[in-house]
Amino acid sequence: MARYVFITGGVVSSLGKGLASAALGALLQARGYKVRLRKLDPYLNVDPGTMSPYQHGECFVTDDGAETDLDLGHYERFTGRAANQSDNITTGRIYSDILAKERRGDYLGGTVQVIPHVTNAIKEFVLDGNEDYDFVLMEIGGTVGDIEGLPFFESIRQLGNDLPRGNCIYMHLSYMPYIAAAGELKTKPTQHSVKELRSIGIQPDILLIRADREIPEEERRKLALFCNVRPKAVIQALDAKSIYDVPIAYHNEGLDQQVLDAFGIDPAPKPVMTIWEEISRKVHNPEGEVQIAVVGKYTVLKDAYKSLMEALVHGGMDNAVKVNLKWIESDTLETDDPADHFSDVDGILVPGGFGERGAEGKIQAAKYAREHKIPYFGICFGMQMAVLDAARNLAGIENATSSEFNTDGEHVVGLMTEWLKGNQLEKREAAGDMGGTMRLGAYPHPLKEGTLISEIYNSTEVSERHRHRYEVNVDYKDQLEKAGLVFSGMSPDGLLPETIEYPKDVHPWFIGVQYHPELKSRPFEPHPLFSSFIAAAKEQGRLV
C-alpha cells in the first residue's frame, strides 16, 4: 500500500513547496522507490488555463491535455514521471463535480455540505490510482490559514485517521526571516504557522525551514520544542545557487532519511545520488557562455516562462555552456531599433503568448534573426509571428496578419474550428467557452525527411504537447514555400502546420514549432531542439 506525505506551507507564499516536493520525490527515487507527485490547488478556477501568467505563472500542459499548475513541471523535471490530468485538482473542479451530481439528484435530496461532501470528494481524489506506487507526495497549494484552503486541510486531517496507522506523515515548509537590526533569525513566524496547523488537527512530523543563512542549533532546538517535532526532523532548506543543487542539499541535511524514519522504514535502502551529482557538476562547470534573447510579453514575471527557462538550462548543460538570458519585452521592439537589443546576442527565442499586444515586436524579432542569420527559435506564437514575417517580407502579402488580433487583412494565421484528436473530430466556435477549449496535449506528427528538424530529432515521427487555438492557415502553404519557407512538419491529415524552418544554405538555424517542446525537457534528458538551438548559438562565435 502506498505511503502518503502531505506537504503544507506557512508564513508566506512562494517558498518553494513544489520544488521541495519534487526534490523529495527525486531522493526517494534515488533509494529505489516508485513515487507519484500530486497537487491540490485551493483556488476556485477549474484550472489555470484562463488565468493570466501575471496571476499564476506558467500553465503547465500534460500529455493528456490537462492545463495544470507549474509545480507539475518541477515534478516531471525532477522525477522523469509524466504527470497527467489526475495529478492536479482545484476547488473549482471539486465544486463543479459536486454541483453536477447535485443537479442530477445523486444526493437523493440530502443537504450538500463542505463536510462530508467536499472533503469526501477531495479524499477520493487523493486516494485514487495510487496502487502501483510506494510513496505519494501530495502538495497543498497556498499557506496554512488561507480560507479557501480549509477544506483541503480538513481532508488531509481526516486521512490521517482513515489510513492505516503509519501510512501518512505531514511535512510543513516554513520560513525563518533574518532581522538585520537584531542580527537574529526569528523562529516566531514558524511557531505561529505550526500553531495554526495544529489548531485544525494536523501535527507536522517534519519541518523544512527556508532561510538565507545557516540556522544555529539552538534555533532548531527551539523550533523542535515549541512545534512538538523531533530535533532531527527540523531540516534547514538554505538558498541554493541552482535548483538542481536542491536534491543533494536536502539529502545532506537528512530530509529523505527523516521521511523514512517517520514511516519506520529501517533499514532504509541506500541512495544512489550519481545522477544528481553529475547534473550539479554540469551546471557549475561550464566551459563558456552564450547569450539568448527571450522576446516575450510577460517578462516582468519570469515564472510565466518557467519550463522554457529550465529547458534552456538543460540545453546549456548538454553543450557545456552557461546560458545567460536577456529578457526583452516585445512591445519595445515596436518603437526601438532591433539592433539596439540584438547586437550582443547569440540566439533569439520568441515564446508563446496570446493577444495583439507586442505581436508586431515579435515579428520584428523574427525578421531581424532571419536577416542577420542569428539562430532563431519560435515556439507556438513565436512560430506564427515568424510565418507572418515571411508572408509580409518574402511572399509579398503585405497585409498578412492573424485573426486573433485583426479582423482586416489576410489571415495567414487564423482560429482553428476543427481538428482531429486521434480518430475523433474536435470542433470549436469563436464565441464558445474559453476554458479547456484549445488544442491541448500531446499530438503525433510526421517530419519531412532531410529537414534540419528531422535531423535534430533523428526521427521523422514525433509527439509533442500543444496549447493553442490559432494556427497557420494551410491555404498559404504553397505561396510561402515558393518564397523560401519550408513546412517541415504537418499534422497527419496534412491540414495543420506543425513546424517551419529555412534551409541550412539560407539560414544556419531558424526553426518554428507550433507545440511546446520545453514541457518535455529534463535535466538528465535535455530536449533535442533546445540542445541544438544552444549548439547553434555557441557556433555564433561569441563564446566567452
Side-chain angles (χ1 to χ4, degrees):
M1 183 178 183
R3 296 177 174 91
Y4 292 82
V5 181
F6 296 108
I7 301 158
T8 60
V11 183
V12 294
S13 59
S14 300
L15 283 180
K17 286 197 307 300
L19 182 57
S21 303
L24 176 57
L27 291 175
L28 292 172
Q29 279 188 335
R31 291 180 181 266
Y33 292 110
K34 193 171 183 182
V35 180
R36 183 183 191 185
L37 292 110
R38 309 176 76 188
K39 178 77 181 284
L40 303 173
D41 273 313
Y43 52 76
L44 281 170
N45 303 69
V46 171
D47 58 43
T50 58
M51 295 168 69
S52 165
Y54 291 124
Q55 288 274 320
H56 196 260
E58 171 190 74
C59 178
F60 189 82
V61 179
T62 61
D63 280 336
D64 60 356
E67 294 177 291
T68 70
D69 185 82
L70 64 81
D71 281 335
L72 272 73
H74 285 311
Y75 303 166
E76 286 203 9
R77 285 187 287 273
F78 276 70
T79 68
R81 175 189 172 272
N84 55 50
Q85 177 82 53
S86 63
D87 287 325
N88 186 207
I89 199 167
T90 67
T91 298
R93 210 166 104 207
I94 290 285
Y95 274 83
S96 179
D97 291 345
I98 288 173
L99 292 174
K101 289 179 180 179
E102 188 274 333
R103 291 291 82 188
R104 288 198 305 264
D106 290 6
Y107 298 113
L108 301 176
T111 302
V112 181
Q113 297 176 293
V114 173
I115 303 174
H117 298 95
V118 173
T119 52
N120 281 352
I122 293 170
K123 289 193 294 181
E124 288 170 10
F125 174 83
V126 168
L127 298 174
D128 184 53
N130 300 324
E131 298 79 12
D132 297 331
Y133 297 93
D134 300 307
F135 287 93
V136 177
L137 311 186
M138 188 70 65
E139 177 194 348
I140 293 84
T143 56
V144 62
D146 294 344
I147 190 168
E148 63 266 28
L150 289 175
F152 291 96
F153 286 104
E154 171 60 19
S155 298
I156 66 172
R157 182 199 68 78
Q158 292 180 19
L159 283 167
N161 294 322
D162 296 347
L163 291 166
R165 189 178 297 275
N167 268 69
C168 86
I169 66 170
Y170 302 94
M171 186 174 89
H172 190 58
L173 180 67
S174 187
Y175 178 59
M176 185 175 281
Y178 177 77
I179 307 301
E184 291 180 325
L185 284 163
K186 307 303 287 186
T187 65
K188 194 63 72 177
T190 296
Q191 290 183 47
H192 281 291
S193 182
V194 172
K195 181 181 179 182
E196 180 76 22
L197 199 59
R198 293 174 69 186
S199 73
I200 56 180
I202 297 174
Q203 168 61 52
D205 299 282
I206 296 171
L207 292 180
L208 188 59
I209 308 299
R210 285 297 310 274
D212 65 353
R213 64 202 66 213
E214 290 281 336
I215 302 174
E217 199 63 38
E218 181 57 35
E219 271 64 30
R220 296 201 212 188
R221 283 197 295 267
K222 187 176 181 181
L223 277 177
L225 178 64
F226 283 95
C227 298
N228 194 31
V229 174
R230 294 176 184 272
K232 286 187 177 180
V234 179
I235 308 293
Q236 66 176 3
L238 304 182
D239 295 347
K241 291 182 179 179
S242 165
I243 64 171
Y244 300 115
D245 293 331
V246 172
I248 293 174
Y250 285 5
H251 172 68
N252 292 339
E253 293 294 334
L255 175 61
D256 48 329
Q257 185 61 58
Q258 287 304 311
V259 168
L260 297 176
D261 287 350
F263 283 111
I265 299 175
D266 185 31
K270 298 294 182 184
V272 179
M273 299 297 294
T274 312
I275 187 172
W276 291 105
E277 291 166 355
E278 177 65 11
I279 289 169
S280 183
R281 184 194 66 77
K282 287 182 177 180
V283 169
H284 296 298
N285 296 280
E287 297 173 3
E289 300 181 358
V290 294
Q291 176 143 290
I292 302 298
V294 180
V295 183
K297 299 174 63 171
Y298 320 110
T299 60
V300 174
L301 183 69
K302 303 301 186 289
D303 270 359
Y305 303 105
K306 190 60 183 173
S307 291
L308 183 74
M309 292 164 60
E310 298 309 321
L312 287 165
V313 171
H314 306 160
M317 291 162 57
D318 207 34
N319 287 278
V321 294
K322 178 184 178 184
V323 179
N324 298 314
L325 301 183
K326 182 176 183 179
W327 296 94
I328 301 173
E329 191 71 14
S330 56
D331 301 52
T332 61
L333 297 177
E334 295 177 3
T335 54
D336 296 356
D337 183 350
D340 294 340
H341 296 277
F342 296 136
S343 60
D344 62 344
V345 304
D346 306 303
I348 298 173
L349 190 151
V350 179
F354 295 92
E356 182 178 7
R357 183 181 66 83
E360 291 298 325
K362 293 192 174 192
I363 294 172
Q364 288 301 314
K367 179 183 179 185
Y368 188 92
R370 174 177 57 79
E371 292 180 341
H372 292 81
K373 304 296 188 288
I374 297 174
Y376 176 88
F377 195 0
I379 296 175
C380 196
F381 195 75
M383 168 182 150
Q384 295 172 7
M385 298 305 99
V387 170
L388 291 185
D389 163 53
R392 292 177 184 180
N393 300 305
L394 296 179
I397 310 172
E398 295 181 0
N399 60 345
T401 187
S402 169
S403 64
E404 182 176 4
F405 43 77
N406 200 328
T407 56
D408 299 323
E410 290 200 52
H411 293 153
V412 176
V413 177
L415 178 71
M416 288 185 295
T417 56
E418 294 184 1
W419 67 89
L420 282 174
K421 188 171 187 178
N423 295 321
Q424 190 170 6
L425 183 65
E426 296 275 330
K427 292 187 177 184
R428 298 290 185 269
E429 295 180 1
D433 289 347
M434 296 289 286
T437 58
M438 287 185 274
R439 190 177 184 223
L440 294 166
Y443 285 82
H445 66 272
L447 297 174
K448 186 182 294 184
E449 288 188 19
T451 56
L452 175 59
I453 197 167
S454 67
E455 291 177 9
I456 293 169
Y457 275 105
N458 193 28
S459 175
T460 56
E461 292 290 337
V462 298
S463 177
E464 294 282 3
R465 298 178 188 176
H466 295 65
R467 183 177 183 249
H468 61 105
R469 59 169 51 90
Y470 291 84
E471 185 79 57
V472 174
N473 189 339
V474 72
D475 292 342
Y476 290 90
K477 178 175 178 289
D478 291 343
Q479 191 173 353
L480 288 164
E481 287 199 315
K482 287 178 182 177
L485 190 66
V486 176
F487 284 75
S488 47
M490 299 290 293
S491 60
D493 59 9
L495 298 179
L496 304 176
E498 292 278 14
T499 72
I500 57 100
E501 62 183 68
Y502 287 109
K504 285 179 285 186
D505 60 350
V506 174
H507 195 287
W509 206 101
F510 192 109
I511 289 176
V513 296
Q514 186 56 70
Y515 45 83
H516 289 269
E518 70 271 22
L519 300 177
K520 296 179 78 168
S521 188
R522 313 281 183 264
F524 37 79
E525 191 180 357
H527 194 285
L529 284 175
F530 283 90
S531 293
S532 180
F533 175 58
I534 297 302
K538 186 176 175 180
E539 289 291 319
Q540 282 293 101
R542 297 190 182 93
L543 188 62
V544 178

